[in-house]
Amino acid sequence: MNRLYIDGMIASEPVFKMEPGEVPHLTFHLGVRHKTRSGETRSEYYRVSTWHKTALWAQDRLRRGQLVSVAGYLTQRTVQRTEETLRCAEIVAEQFQLLKPLGRMKDAPAQENPSTDDAA
């Protein structure tokens, strides 16, 4: 089973893409802090992607600086860098929960979750 739950702060402005004939797709980077075994605080950043209805929901509600909870799964994507091919981990989000709304946002209560019936 590949299931992931992670909380963090949206570290980059979400980017929404939907070319004619394609499915809606939204990406951003999620910043996460945790304590190491030695007690030091460590920051890590993960790329988050979401598709279909969840991307449409997130497009109007997610902004840089918001605290969110993400439920989804971990996958890998391939990135071509000049002469080498890299494999990068990526979180595919199926659900979001706003933990602390950023300012006043219309129609975005803190407990709202998008439908994930057709998430990729």
Short mmCIF file of all heavy atoms in Angstrom, two decimals, residues 60-106:
data_model
loop_
_atom_site.label_atom_id
_atom_site.label_comp_id
_atom_site.label_asym_id
_atom_site.label_seq_id
_atom_site.Cartn_x
_atom_site.Cartn_y
_atom_site.Cartn_z
N ASP A 60 -8.18 27.62 -6.93
CA ASP A 60 -8.80 28.81 -6.35
C ASP A 60 -8.56 28.96 -4.85
O ASP A 60 -8.91 29.99 -4.29
CB ASP A 60 -10.31 28.79 -6.60
CG ASP A 60 -10.63 28.87 -8.08
OD1 ASP A 60 -9.87 29.51 -8.83
OD2 ASP A 60 -11.65 28.28 -8.49
N ARG A 61 -8.00 27.96 -4.21
CA ARG A 61 -7.92 27.98 -2.75
C ARG A 61 -6.52 27.95 -2.16
O ARG A 61 -6.31 28.42 -1.05
CB ARG A 61 -8.73 26.82 -2.19
CG ARG A 61 -10.21 27.00 -2.43
CD ARG A 61 -10.97 25.73 -2.12
NE ARG A 61 -12.40 25.91 -2.27
CZ ARG A 61 -13.04 25.80 -3.41
NH1 ARG A 61 -12.40 25.50 -4.52
NH2 ARG A 61 -14.35 25.98 -3.46
N LEU A 62 -5.56 27.35 -2.86
CA LEU A 62 -4.22 27.21 -2.28
C LEU A 62 -3.31 28.35 -2.71
O LEU A 62 -3.28 28.73 -3.87
CB LEU A 62 -3.60 25.87 -2.70
CG LEU A 62 -4.34 24.61 -2.27
CD1 LEU A 62 -3.55 23.38 -2.68
CD2 LEU A 62 -4.63 24.60 -0.79
N ARG A 63 -2.57 28.89 -1.73
CA ARG A 63 -1.64 29.99 -1.97
C ARG A 63 -0.36 29.75 -1.19
O ARG A 63 -0.34 29.05 -0.17
CB ARG A 63 -2.24 31.33 -1.52
CG ARG A 63 -3.50 31.74 -2.24
CD ARG A 63 -3.20 32.15 -3.68
NE ARG A 63 -4.40 32.51 -4.40
CZ ARG A 63 -5.05 31.71 -5.25
NH1 ARG A 63 -4.61 30.49 -5.47
NH2 ARG A 63 -6.12 32.10 -5.88
N ARG A 64 0.71 30.37 -1.65
CA ARG A 64 1.99 30.30 -0.95
C ARG A 64 1.82 30.80 0.48
O ARG A 64 1.12 31.79 0.73
CB ARG A 64 3.01 31.17 -1.68
CG ARG A 64 4.36 31.11 -1.07
CD ARG A 64 5.33 31.93 -1.86
NE ARG A 64 6.64 31.79 -1.24
CZ ARG A 64 7.63 32.59 -1.49
NH1 ARG A 64 7.51 33.57 -2.34
NH2 ARG A 64 8.78 32.39 -0.88
N GLY A 65 2.43 30.10 1.42
CA GLY A 65 2.37 30.49 2.83
C GLY A 65 1.29 29.80 3.63
O GLY A 65 1.28 29.89 4.86
N GLN A 66 0.36 29.09 2.98
CA GLN A 66 -0.69 28.40 3.70
C GLN A 66 -0.18 27.11 4.33
O GLN A 66 0.67 26.43 3.75
CB GLN A 66 -1.84 28.03 2.77
CG GLN A 66 -2.75 29.16 2.45
CD GLN A 66 -3.85 28.69 1.54
OE1 GLN A 66 -3.58 28.16 0.47
NE2 GLN A 66 -5.08 28.89 1.96
N LEU A 67 -0.74 26.78 5.48
CA LEU A 67 -0.48 25.49 6.10
C LEU A 67 -1.55 24.52 5.60
O LEU A 67 -2.74 24.83 5.66
CB LEU A 67 -0.55 25.59 7.62
CG LEU A 67 0.54 26.44 8.26
CD1 LEU A 67 0.29 26.55 9.76
CD2 LEU A 67 1.91 25.84 8.00
N VAL A 68 -1.11 23.37 5.08
CA VAL A 68 -2.04 22.39 4.54
C VAL A 68 -1.65 20.99 4.98
O VAL A 68 -0.50 20.72 5.31
CB VAL A 68 -2.10 22.42 2.99
CG1 VAL A 68 -2.65 23.72 2.48
CG2 VAL A 68 -0.76 22.11 2.38
N SER A 69 -2.65 20.13 4.96
CA SER A 69 -2.44 18.71 5.16
C SER A 69 -2.71 18.06 3.80
O SER A 69 -3.69 18.40 3.14
CB SER A 69 -3.40 18.18 6.21
OG SER A 69 -3.18 16.81 6.44
N VAL A 70 -1.83 17.16 3.40
CA VAL A 70 -1.93 16.51 2.09
C VAL A 70 -2.08 15.01 2.31
O VAL A 70 -1.33 14.42 3.08
CB VAL A 70 -0.67 16.79 1.23
CG1 VAL A 70 -0.74 16.05 -0.09
CG2 VAL A 70 -0.48 18.28 1.02
N ALA A 71 -3.04 14.41 1.63
CA ALA A 71 -3.20 12.96 1.61
C ALA A 71 -3.04 12.52 0.17
O ALA A 71 -3.63 13.11 -0.74
CB ALA A 71 -4.58 12.56 2.13
N GLY A 72 -2.21 11.52 -0.04
CA GLY A 72 -1.98 11.05 -1.40
C GLY A 72 -1.03 9.88 -1.41
O GLY A 72 -1.05 9.05 -0.51
N TYR A 73 -0.18 9.84 -2.44
CA TYR A 73 0.79 8.75 -2.54
C TYR A 73 2.10 9.27 -3.10
O TYR A 73 2.16 10.34 -3.70
CB TYR A 73 0.24 7.60 -3.37
CG TYR A 73 -0.14 7.95 -4.79
CD1 TYR A 73 0.77 7.84 -5.83
CD2 TYR A 73 -1.42 8.40 -5.09
CE1 TYR A 73 0.42 8.15 -7.13
CE2 TYR A 73 -1.79 8.71 -6.39
CZ TYR A 73 -0.86 8.58 -7.41
OH TYR A 73 -1.21 8.90 -8.70
N LEU A 74 3.15 8.51 -2.89
CA LEU A 74 4.48 8.86 -3.34
C LEU A 74 4.77 8.18 -4.67
O LEU A 74 4.43 7.02 -4.87
CB LEU A 74 5.50 8.40 -2.29
CG LEU A 74 6.92 8.93 -2.41
CD1 LEU A 74 6.95 10.45 -2.31
CD2 LEU A 74 7.78 8.32 -1.31
N THR A 75 5.36 8.94 -5.58
CA THR A 75 5.74 8.39 -6.88
C THR A 75 7.08 8.97 -7.29
O THR A 75 7.65 9.77 -6.56
CB THR A 75 4.64 8.69 -7.95
OG1 THR A 75 4.93 7.95 -9.14
CG2 THR A 75 4.56 10.16 -8.26
N GLN A 76 7.58 8.57 -8.45
CA GLN A 76 8.82 9.12 -8.98
C GLN A 76 8.55 9.67 -10.37
O GLN A 76 7.71 9.15 -11.10
CB GLN A 76 9.91 8.06 -9.08
CG GLN A 76 10.41 7.61 -7.75
CD GLN A 76 11.57 6.62 -7.91
OE1 GLN A 76 11.98 6.27 -9.00
NE2 GLN A 76 12.10 6.19 -6.78
N ARG A 77 9.27 10.72 -10.72
CA ARG A 77 9.20 11.26 -12.07
C ARG A 77 10.61 11.38 -12.60
O ARG A 77 11.57 11.45 -11.83
CB ARG A 77 8.46 12.59 -12.12
CG ARG A 77 9.12 13.69 -11.36
CD ARG A 77 8.25 14.95 -11.34
NE ARG A 77 8.90 15.97 -10.58
CZ ARG A 77 9.67 16.92 -11.09
NH1 ARG A 77 9.87 16.97 -12.39
NH2 ARG A 77 10.24 17.80 -10.32
N THR A 78 10.73 11.41 -13.90
CA THR A 78 12.03 11.49 -14.54
C THR A 78 12.28 12.92 -15.00
O THR A 78 11.40 13.54 -15.59
CB THR A 78 12.09 10.54 -15.76
OG1 THR A 78 11.79 9.23 -15.31
CG2 THR A 78 13.46 10.55 -16.38
N VAL A 79 13.48 13.43 -14.71
CA VAL A 79 13.88 14.78 -15.11
C VAL A 79 15.14 14.66 -15.94
O VAL A 79 16.11 14.03 -15.51
CB VAL A 79 14.14 15.67 -13.88
CG1 VAL A 79 14.61 17.05 -14.29
CG2 VAL A 79 12.91 15.76 -13.00
N GLN A 80 15.13 15.25 -17.13
CA GLN A 80 16.31 15.22 -18.00
C GLN A 80 17.16 16.46 -17.74
O GLN A 80 16.71 17.58 -17.90
CB GLN A 80 15.88 15.18 -19.47
CG GLN A 80 17.01 14.94 -20.43
CD GLN A 80 17.63 13.57 -20.27
OE1 GLN A 80 16.94 12.57 -20.09
NE2 GLN A 80 18.94 13.51 -20.31
N ARG A 81 18.40 16.27 -17.31
CA ARG A 81 19.36 17.35 -17.06
C ARG A 81 20.53 17.16 -18.01
O ARG A 81 21.27 16.19 -17.89
CB ARG A 81 19.88 17.32 -15.62
CG ARG A 81 18.84 17.52 -14.58
CD ARG A 81 18.63 18.98 -14.37
NE ARG A 81 17.73 19.12 -13.24
CZ ARG A 81 17.20 20.24 -12.89
NH1 ARG A 81 17.46 21.32 -13.55
NH2 ARG A 81 16.39 20.30 -11.87
N THR A 82 20.71 18.07 -18.92
CA THR A 82 21.77 18.03 -19.94
C THR A 82 22.12 16.60 -20.35
O THR A 82 21.50 16.05 -21.22
CB THR A 82 23.01 18.82 -19.50
OG1 THR A 82 23.51 18.33 -18.26
CG2 THR A 82 22.70 20.29 -19.39
N GLU A 83 23.10 16.01 -19.72
CA GLU A 83 23.57 14.67 -20.13
C GLU A 83 23.12 13.54 -19.22
O GLU A 83 23.51 12.40 -19.41
CB GLU A 83 25.10 14.68 -20.20
CG GLU A 83 25.63 15.66 -21.21
CD GLU A 83 27.14 15.73 -21.19
OE1 GLU A 83 27.78 14.92 -20.51
OE2 GLU A 83 27.68 16.62 -21.86
N GLU A 84 22.34 13.86 -18.21
CA GLU A 84 21.93 12.79 -17.29
C GLU A 84 20.43 12.83 -17.03
O GLU A 84 19.79 13.86 -17.15
CB GLU A 84 22.70 12.88 -15.97
CG GLU A 84 22.46 14.15 -15.19
CD GLU A 84 23.28 14.20 -13.91
OE1 GLU A 84 23.53 13.16 -13.31
OE2 GLU A 84 23.64 15.32 -13.53
N THR A 85 19.89 11.69 -16.68
CA THR A 85 18.49 11.56 -16.33
C THR A 85 18.40 11.32 -14.83
O THR A 85 19.03 10.41 -14.31
CB THR A 85 17.85 10.39 -17.10
OG1 THR A 85 18.00 10.63 -18.50
CG2 THR A 85 16.38 10.27 -16.77
N LEU A 86 17.61 12.15 -14.17
CA LEU A 86 17.43 12.03 -12.72
C LEU A 86 16.04 11.52 -12.41
O LEU A 86 15.08 11.80 -13.13
CB LEU A 86 17.62 13.39 -12.05
CG LEU A 86 18.93 14.12 -12.31
CD1 LEU A 86 18.88 15.51 -11.72
CD2 LEU A 86 20.09 13.33 -11.73
N ARG A 87 15.92 10.79 -11.33
CA ARG A 87 14.61 10.35 -10.83
C ARG A 87 14.34 11.10 -9.53
O ARG A 87 15.16 11.07 -8.62
CB ARG A 87 14.60 8.85 -10.62
CG ARG A 87 14.78 8.12 -11.97
CD ARG A 87 14.56 6.65 -11.91
NE ARG A 87 13.26 6.20 -11.49
CZ ARG A 87 12.18 6.13 -12.28
NH1 ARG A 87 12.24 6.55 -13.51
NH2 ARG A 87 11.05 5.63 -11.83
N CYS A 88 13.20 11.78 -9.49
CA CYS A 88 12.85 12.60 -8.33
C CYS A 88 11.57 12.08 -7.69
O CYS A 88 10.63 11.71 -8.39
CB CYS A 88 12.63 14.05 -8.76
SG CYS A 88 14.05 14.81 -9.52
N ALA A 89 11.54 12.08 -6.36
CA ALA A 89 10.33 11.71 -5.64
C ALA A 89 9.33 12.86 -5.74
O ALA A 89 9.71 14.03 -5.77
CB ALA A 89 10.64 11.41 -4.19
N GLU A 90 8.06 12.51 -5.80
CA GLU A 90 7.00 13.51 -5.90
C GLU A 90 5.77 12.98 -5.17
O GLU A 90 5.49 11.79 -5.20
CB GLU A 90 6.67 13.74 -7.38
CG GLU A 90 5.54 14.70 -7.62
CD GLU A 90 5.31 14.95 -9.09
OE1 GLU A 90 4.62 14.14 -9.74
OE2 GLU A 90 5.86 15.93 -9.60
N ILE A 91 5.07 13.88 -4.52
CA ILE A 91 3.81 13.53 -3.84
C ILE A 91 2.67 13.83 -4.79
O ILE A 91 2.57 14.93 -5.33
CB ILE A 91 3.64 14.34 -2.54
CG1 ILE A 91 4.77 14.01 -1.56
CG2 ILE A 91 2.26 14.08 -1.93
CD1 ILE A 91 4.84 14.96 -0.38
N VAL A 92 1.81 12.84 -5.04
CA VAL A 92 0.59 13.07 -5.81
C VAL A 92 -0.54 13.21 -4.80
O VAL A 92 -0.85 12.26 -4.07
CB VAL A 92 0.31 11.92 -6.80
CG1 VAL A 92 -1.01 12.16 -7.53
CG2 VAL A 92 1.45 11.79 -7.80
N ALA A 93 -1.10 14.42 -4.73
CA ALA A 93 -2.13 14.72 -3.74
C ALA A 93 -3.51 14.32 -4.26
O ALA A 93 -3.87 14.64 -5.38
CB ALA A 93 -2.11 16.21 -3.42
N GLU A 94 -4.25 13.62 -3.41
CA GLU A 94 -5.63 13.24 -3.72
C GLU A 94 -6.61 14.06 -2.89
O GLU A 94 -7.76 14.21 -3.28
CB GLU A 94 -5.83 11.76 -3.46
CG GLU A 94 -4.98 10.90 -4.38
CD GLU A 94 -5.07 9.43 -4.06
OE1 GLU A 94 -4.97 9.06 -2.87
OE2 GLU A 94 -5.23 8.66 -5.01
N GLN A 95 -6.14 14.57 -1.74
CA GLN A 95 -6.98 15.41 -0.88
C GLN A 95 -6.11 16.45 -0.19
O GLN A 95 -4.94 16.19 0.12
CB GLN A 95 -7.68 14.59 0.21
CG GLN A 95 -8.74 13.68 -0.29
CD GLN A 95 -9.42 12.97 0.87
OE1 GLN A 95 -8.80 12.64 1.86
NE2 GLN A 95 -10.71 12.74 0.73
N PHE A 96 -6.72 17.61 0.06
CA PHE A 96 -6.09 18.67 0.84
C PHE A 96 -7.01 19.05 1.99
O PHE A 96 -8.22 18.96 1.86
CB PHE A 96 -5.88 19.94 0.00
CG PHE A 96 -4.91 19.79 -1.12
CD1 PHE A 96 -5.36 19.60 -2.41
CD2 PHE A 96 -3.55 19.83 -0.89
CE1 PHE A 96 -4.47 19.46 -3.46
CE2 PHE A 96 -2.65 19.70 -1.93
CZ PHE A 96 -3.11 19.52 -3.22
N GLN A 97 -6.41 19.50 3.06
CA GLN A 97 -7.17 20.11 4.14
C GLN A 97 -6.43 21.38 4.52
O GLN A 97 -5.22 21.34 4.79
CB GLN A 97 -7.28 19.19 5.35
CG GLN A 97 -8.11 19.80 6.46
CD GLN A 97 -8.32 18.83 7.60
OE1 GLN A 97 -7.74 17.74 7.63
NE2 GLN A 97 -9.12 19.22 8.57
N LEU A 98 -7.14 22.50 4.50
CA LEU A 98 -6.53 23.76 4.91
C LEU A 98 -6.42 23.77 6.42
O LEU A 98 -7.42 23.65 7.12
CB LEU A 98 -7.38 24.94 4.42
CG LEU A 98 -7.63 25.00 2.91
CD1 LEU A 98 -8.53 26.18 2.58
CD2 LEU A 98 -6.33 25.08 2.15
N LEU A 99 -5.20 23.90 6.93
CA LEU A 99 -5.00 23.89 8.38
C LEU A 99 -5.13 25.28 8.97
O LEU A 99 -5.54 25.43 10.10
CB LEU A 99 -3.62 23.30 8.71
CG LEU A 99 -3.41 21.86 8.25
CD1 LEU A 99 -2.00 21.41 8.59
CD2 LEU A 99 -4.44 20.94 8.89
N LYS A 100 -4.76 26.28 8.20
CA LYS A 100 -4.87 27.65 8.65
C LYS A 100 -5.06 28.51 7.41
O LYS A 100 -4.10 28.77 6.69
CB LYS A 100 -3.61 28.08 9.40
CG LYS A 100 -3.67 29.47 9.96
CD LYS A 100 -2.41 29.78 10.73
CE LYS A 100 -2.45 31.19 11.25
NZ LYS A 100 -1.19 31.55 11.90
N PRO A 101 -6.30 28.95 7.14
CA PRO A 101 -6.53 29.75 5.95
C PRO A 101 -5.66 31.01 5.93
O PRO A 101 -5.42 31.62 6.97
CB PRO A 101 -8.01 30.11 6.02
CG PRO A 101 -8.60 29.07 6.89
CD PRO A 101 -7.53 28.71 7.88
N LEU A 102 -5.21 31.39 4.76
CA LEU A 102 -4.37 32.57 4.58
C LEU A 102 -5.28 33.77 4.37
O LEU A 102 -5.94 33.88 3.36
CB LEU A 102 -3.47 32.37 3.36
CG LEU A 102 -2.42 33.42 3.09
CD1 LEU A 102 -1.41 33.47 4.23
CD2 LEU A 102 -1.69 33.09 1.80
N GLY A 103 -5.34 34.66 5.34
CA GLY A 103 -6.20 35.84 5.22
C GLY A 103 -7.65 35.43 5.12
O GLY A 103 -8.06 34.42 5.64
N ARG A 104 -8.43 36.24 4.41
CA ARG A 104 -9.84 35.93 4.19
C ARG A 104 -10.00 35.32 2.82
O ARG A 104 -9.76 35.96 1.82
CB ARG A 104 -10.69 37.19 4.28
CG ARG A 104 -10.89 37.66 5.69
CD ARG A 104 -11.70 38.90 5.70
NE ARG A 104 -12.90 38.72 4.89
CZ ARG A 104 -14.10 39.13 5.24
NH1 ARG A 104 -14.26 39.75 6.35
NH2 ARG A 104 -15.12 38.96 4.45
N MET A 105 -10.38 34.06 2.78
CA MET A 105 -10.57 33.40 1.51
C MET A 105 -12.03 33.00 1.39
O MET A 105 -12.57 32.34 2.27
CB MET A 105 -9.68 32.15 1.40
CG MET A 105 -8.23 32.49 1.42
SD MET A 105 -7.12 31.11 1.24
CE MET A 105 -8.11 29.70 1.28
N LYS A 106 -12.67 33.40 0.31
CA LYS A 106 -14.07 33.06 0.10
C LYS A 106 -14.23 31.58 -0.20
O LYS A 106 -13.42 30.99 -0.90
CB LYS A 106 -14.64 33.86 -1.06
CG LYS A 106 -14.81 35.33 -0.76
CD LYS A 106 -15.47 36.01 -1.92
CE LYS A 106 -15.69 37.47 -1.59
NZ LYS A 106 -16.36 38.16 -2.69
#
